[in-house]
Amino acid sequence: MRTIRLSIQAISLPTTAWLTKKPVNWRQIILVLLFWGFTFLWMLPAIWSLVTSFRYETDIQRNLISLVPFPITTEHYQRILGDGLVARWFLNSLVVASTRTIIQLTLCSLAAFAFTRIPFKGKRVVYVLVLIGIMVPFEAILIPIYLFFADLRMHNTYTALIAPEVASPLALFLLTQFFQEIPTELDEAAYLDGASRLTVYLRVILPLATPVLTTLAIFTFLGTWNEYLWPLISATDRQALTVTIGLRKLAETFGHQTRDLGLKMAGAWVGGIPVLIFYFIFQRRIVSGIKLTSGFR
Amino acid sequence: MKIRKSFTSFLALVALAIMLTASPIAAQDEPTTLQLWRFFNECASNFEGVTQLGDTNDVCAVQQVLANQWNAEHPELQVETTSLVWPGIVELNAALAGGTPPDIMSMHAFRIPAYASRGTLTPLTSYLEEAGVDVDDLLPNVRDAVTWNGEIYAIPFDVHGILWHINLDLWGQAGLLDDAGNPMIPVGLEAFEAACQQVLDTTGSAIFGGGEDDIVGTEVIWFSIYSQMGGSIADENGVPSVNTPLAIEALELQIRLREMGCFSSGELGKTYEGFNQGAVAGVNAGTWMVNEFDAQVKDEDAGLKDLYVAPYPQIGNTPAVWGGSHTWVVPLGPNADPERVRAAVQYIKFFYDNQIAWTRTGHATVRQSVQNSPEYQALPHRDEYAAFANQVVYFPKTGWVTAIDQIMHEETQAAILGEKTPEQALNDAQSRLIDIASFQ
């Protein structure tokens, strides 16, 4: 907040200085200029990629680093958006990311409720076994999972894209930690009023866990949207591609890295814009989620 | 009670959603449909129903339009194409592990021994003979590259590799054009050094621009010079031999020519940028760049006005250059259903018969008859680099060569940038390759 106040003061300084004859606060002006400078530097790669996506390829290859988009062309976007399957790939990504998010939150919150609220034999052992899953990278179990879905003849289906990571040990761990912080007195009060376990879970625990659930939902959705390796091997049929893989195939180039830059950059923007919109909508939640998951206050 | 009911309904809905999503996203294949997996982009939707090539030279377009042509002419045997992320090996390995490989797959020739030795490829010699595929028309070095243990495992559809792209204006300034306006290509180290010095003195530019951030500017040069000197990266037993005295001499020569300014340094993309601006006299670039540089010449804003494409410079005793082939293989294993293989070979033959279409992409033909055809010669610059395909040296037929590009790039780069001596770098490369070979 302090940053914003300083900026407003600095911007309005020339007018107010003239009216009130206050001395110019050079320190604040320099500070604001520095902020702008660093923001520009930070944004430079994004600005360059946006400009490049609107330049002719022959022009790009004569002048790789340019922030001038003239002569301008939309040919790269036409090639990408003109492909009849791009909309389908966006839909696939949306279905996969949304469904996985919903199922993962449902499964993991139910499991976390059981671990924190229901006494049963061997709970600690089971919990530790589940948490060991955090240490096993997905790449290590990729082939067994691939074979499992191949045996079921389920590759190129939504289920194959959604199912492998719905039971997330990390999500379970975070939810368990959060549920433990919720006082059990609240459950007891509900039980006294005749509530069942399910009612306590749905009416007491879940509403109180909204911050962590929202955070998990955002990160699961974004993680699934950007997922690469599993959709690459599971969904090979062009109708079944997710947007990440589809755009990669559409804008892929061969030879050396700077070839077909316009197409690559246009592909990056087309694929990235939904994520950017998502980020702007949930900006506050994402930031508070990072604090929540990192322990940073 | 009400909550329990609604929760049960929710679970039922989730179960229903799972059942619904378990149905294939795409329609199931017909039994007579051949699955063809290929790299080189996705463009099927853009070319849906298009059966005429027109004037396209795009790698994806050519493959897709030819498949469309086949499908239009053969309703009884359809080919369904699936695009892969280059080079498609991750997808292929997964499919082989899952027992669901495609019928036809594009594969680099140097990978054939690694897959054939594991019994994942179908030997094609008898099927090709039965289908009337004229394998005798293949260039001898290309035919040898797709043959393993006496069996042909693939039909190649190009020879790709590195060429010498020349800016004729700058060569003219250096006095290196003959009366007909063609470049006087130096042959041998002495002549190359002299031409390099002449170009440097008059234009200030490298005669053979490149960059150390890409294998084209590191391993490719070393491999080509080593081969031109008579060296081989494998000994007679198939064991890596990349640290022989000759290999070290080749790397030392590469570093010396770079220090002289004959090979430019830095980023490859920046060197090509300079070439397009008309500021670099010559570049080390692949067959895949021929059309791209040619497009610059046709653009009036480009500094590159007059382009000539020569085979790789001969610095050693014999002409030789790093290169390879894109091929069609049948990854159904040695005991595949013969009818399925016959069907796959029919499409491969169709592609082979339409070789000229693929050579539009800049890659050289694999067929002797096409090499000499007026149609091929009429393609831009093909007559200038006609000798290239015969000069390509393929990797030896061993499994460990699948790792060589990456390892040799890292090690030769380290030597070029002074992080290791040439001897250290090649000893490290040898040791790493021996490790890989021990797993084959």
Side-chain angles (χ1 to χ4, degrees), chain A residues 57-65 71 78-80 82-85 88-89 92 95 99 102-103 106 110 142-143 146-147 150-151 153-162 196-199 201-203 228-229 232-233 235-241 245-246 248-260 263, chain B residues 1 3-8 10-11 14 17-29 37-46 58-60 64 80-87 90-91 93-100 213-214 216 267-270 272-274 276-277 288-289 292 295-296 299 301-303:
Chain A
E57 193 55 39
T58 45
D59 183 36
I60 296 168
Q61 293 305 324
R62 285 195 299 273
N63 195 1
L64 295 171
I65 308 296
Q78 281 173 27
R79 181 162 166 190
I80 287 169
D83 191 290
L85 287 169
R88 172 81 201 209
W89 299 337
N92 290 346
V95 170
T99 316
I102 292 166
I103 298 176
T106 309
L110 279 169
L142 186 70
I143 292 298
Y146 182 89
L147 294 179
D151 285 347
R153 299 195 170 276
M154 281 173 78
H155 285 301
N156 290 308
T157 67
Y158 282 139
T159 302
L161 288 171
I162 294 163
S196 65
R197 267 194 187 136
L198 198 57
T199 314
Y201 164 74
L202 290 171
R203 291 280 175 86
Y228 186 80
L229 187 57
L232 175 74
I233 60 167
T236 48
D237 191 297
R238 62 173 55 88
Q239 299 278 342
L241 301 180
I245 305 297
R248 168 82 161 85
K249 289 181 176 180
L250 206 64
E252 189 180 27
T253 53
F254 319 93
H256 62 278
Q257 292 164 2
T258 54
R259 219 175 151 206
D260 288 337
L263 189 65
Chain B
M1 198 59 191
I3 289 171
R4 179 172 294 181
K5 213 173 172 184
S6 56
F7 187 70
T8 314
F10 171 74
L11 284 182
V14 170
I18 291 172
M19 282 195 298
L20 285 175
T21 56
S23 58
I25 299 169
Q28 292 280 14
D29 299 321
W37 284 14
R38 59 163 187 82
F39 42 81
F40 289 131
N41 289 112
E42 168 59 50
C43 62
S45 174
N46 278 339
D58 178 77
V59 279
C60 187
Q64 194 57 47
E80 191 173 297
T81 62
T82 293
S83 59
L84 310 170
V85 172
W86 189 96
V90 176
E91 297 96 314
N93 290 349
L96 286 169
T100 53
D213 61 331
D214 196 288
V216 167
E267 294 169 37
L268 190 69
K270 289 297 284 180
Y272 291 170
E273 181 188 49
N276 290 330
Q277 288 168 354
W288 51 88
M289 291 299 292
E292 213 158 293
Q296 288 287 342
D299 188 329
D301 293 333

Side-chain angles (χ1 to χ4, degrees), chain B residues 287-335:
Chain B
T287 42
W288 51 88
M289 291 299 292
V290 174
N291 291 331
E292 213 158 293
F293 289 141
D294 209 46
Q296 288 287 342
V297 175
K298 286 170 187 153
D299 188 329
E300 58 182 25
D301 293 333
L304 179 65
K305 300 290 181 197
D306 208 354
L307 174 71
Y308 186 94
V309 187
Y312 208 74
Q314 186 190 325
I315 297 166
N317 304 327
T318 50
V321 59
W322 173 100
S325 282
H326 298 118
T327 75
W328 294 121
V329 294
V330 178
L332 298 174
N335 303 315

Side-chain angles (χ1 to χ4, degrees), chain A residues 26-90:
Chain A
W26 288 107
R27 199 167 158 265
Q28 285 184 354
I29 292 174
I30 290 167
L31 211 59
V32 169
L33 285 175
L34 272 175
F35 286 147
W36 277 106
F38 279 119
T39 306
F40 179 73
L41 272 180
W42 192 259
M43 291 293 293
L44 206 52
I47 296 167
W48 171 80
S49 74
L50 186 64
V51 167
T52 303
S53 70
F54 284 105
R55 293 173 63 202
Y56 285 97
E57 193 55 39
T58 45
D59 183 36
I60 296 168
Q61 293 305 324
R62 285 195 299 273
N63 195 1
L64 295 171
I65 308 296
S66 170
L67 296 181
V68 182
F70 302 108
I72 202 163
T73 178
T74 56
E75 66 179 12
H76 309 302
Y77 287 97
Q78 281 173 27
R79 181 162 166 190
I80 287 169
L81 297 172
D83 191 290
L85 287 169
V86 172
R88 172 81 201 209
W89 299 337
F90 271 109

Side-chain angles (χ1 to χ4, degrees), chain A:
Chain A
M1 280 310 287
R2 186 172 166 73
T3 312
I4 294 165
R5 273 207 303 275
L6 282 173
S7 310
I8 292 164
Q9 276 181 6
I11 290 161
S12 59
L13 202 60
T15 331
T16 49
W18 177 73
L19 286 172
T20 59
K21 294 187 179 173
K22 273 187 188 172
V24 175
N25 190 337
W26 288 107
R27 199 167 158 265
Q28 285 184 354
I29 292 174
I30 290 167
L31 211 59
V32 169
L33 285 175
L34 272 175
F35 286 147
W36 277 106
F38 279 119
T39 306
F40 179 73
L41 272 180
W42 192 259
M43 291 293 293
L44 206 52
I47 296 167
W48 171 80
S49 74
L50 186 64
V51 167
T52 303
S53 70
F54 284 105
R55 293 173 63 202
Y56 285 97
E57 193 55 39
T58 45
D59 183 36
I60 296 168
Q61 293 305 324
R62 285 195 299 273
N63 195 1
L64 295 171
I65 308 296
S66 170
L67 296 181
V68 182
F70 302 108
I72 202 163
T73 178
T74 56
E75 66 179 12
H76 309 302
Y77 287 97
Q78 281 173 27
R79 181 162 166 190
I80 287 169
L81 297 172
D83 191 290
L85 287 169
V86 172
R88 172 81 201 209
W89 299 337
F90 271 109
L91 178 73
N92 290 346
S93 282
L94 194 65
V95 170
V96 170
S98 313
T99 316
R100 184 188 284 176
T101 304
I102 292 166
I103 298 176
Q104 188 181 94
L105 291 190
T106 309
L107 279 180
C108 292
S109 62
L110 279 169
F113 179 76
F115 279 122
T116 53
R117 291 300 200 268
I118 303 171
F120 61 90
K121 258 191 177 179
K123 188 160 83 171
R124 267 181 177 278
V125 178
V126 175
Y127 187 60
V128 169
L129 281 175
V130 171
L131 290 193
I132 284 173
I134 296 176
M135 290 182 276
V136 181
F138 184 71
E139 289 76 6
I141 51 171
L142 186 70
I143 292 298
I145 292 179
Y146 182 89
L147 294 179
F148 175 76
F149 283 100
D151 285 347
L152 295 174
R153 299 195 170 276
M154 281 173 78
H155 285 301
N156 290 308
T157 67
Y158 282 139
T159 302
L161 288 171
I162 294 163
E165 286 191 272
V166 286
S168 160
L170 185 65
L172 174 67
F173 173 72
L174 288 173
L175 286 167
T176 313
Q177 295 299 305
F178 198 89
F179 287 5
Q180 271 171 348
E181 298 292 315
I182 300 171
T184 48
E185 286 82 359
L186 294 173
D187 310 18
E188 285 157 13
Y191 287 131
L192 280 176
D193 287 341
S196 65
R197 267 194 187 136
L198 198 57
T199 314
V200 170
Y201 164 74
L202 290 171
R203 291 280 175 86
V204 179
I205 303 294
L206 285 191
L208 288 169
T210 310
V212 72
L213 288 171
T214 315
T215 303
L216 276 175
I218 290 165
F219 284 108
T220 306
F221 187 90
L222 286 179
T224 311
W225 185 278
N226 292 325
E227 201 177 20
Y228 186 80
L229 187 57
W230 178 247
L232 175 74
I233 60 167
S234 179
T236 48
D237 191 297
R238 62 173 55 88
Q239 299 278 342
L241 301 180
T242 57
V243 72
T244 323
I245 305 297
L247 289 176
R248 168 82 161 85
K249 289 181 176 180
L250 206 64
E252 189 180 27
T253 53
F254 319 93
H256 62 278
Q257 292 164 2
T258 54
R259 219 175 151 206
D260 288 337
L261 273 181
L263 189 65
K264 280 181 195 163
M265 295 307 137
W269 277 96
V270 168
I273 278 174
V275 181
L276 270 180
I277 293 170
F278 190 86
Y279 180 80
F280 282 124
I281 294 171
F282 295 104
Q283 194 174 3
R284 272 192 182 178
R285 280 286 176 199
I286 290 171
V287 174
S288 61
I290 291 167
K291 286 180 186 171
L292 194 73
T293 49
S294 65
F296 173 74
R297 292 277 186 270

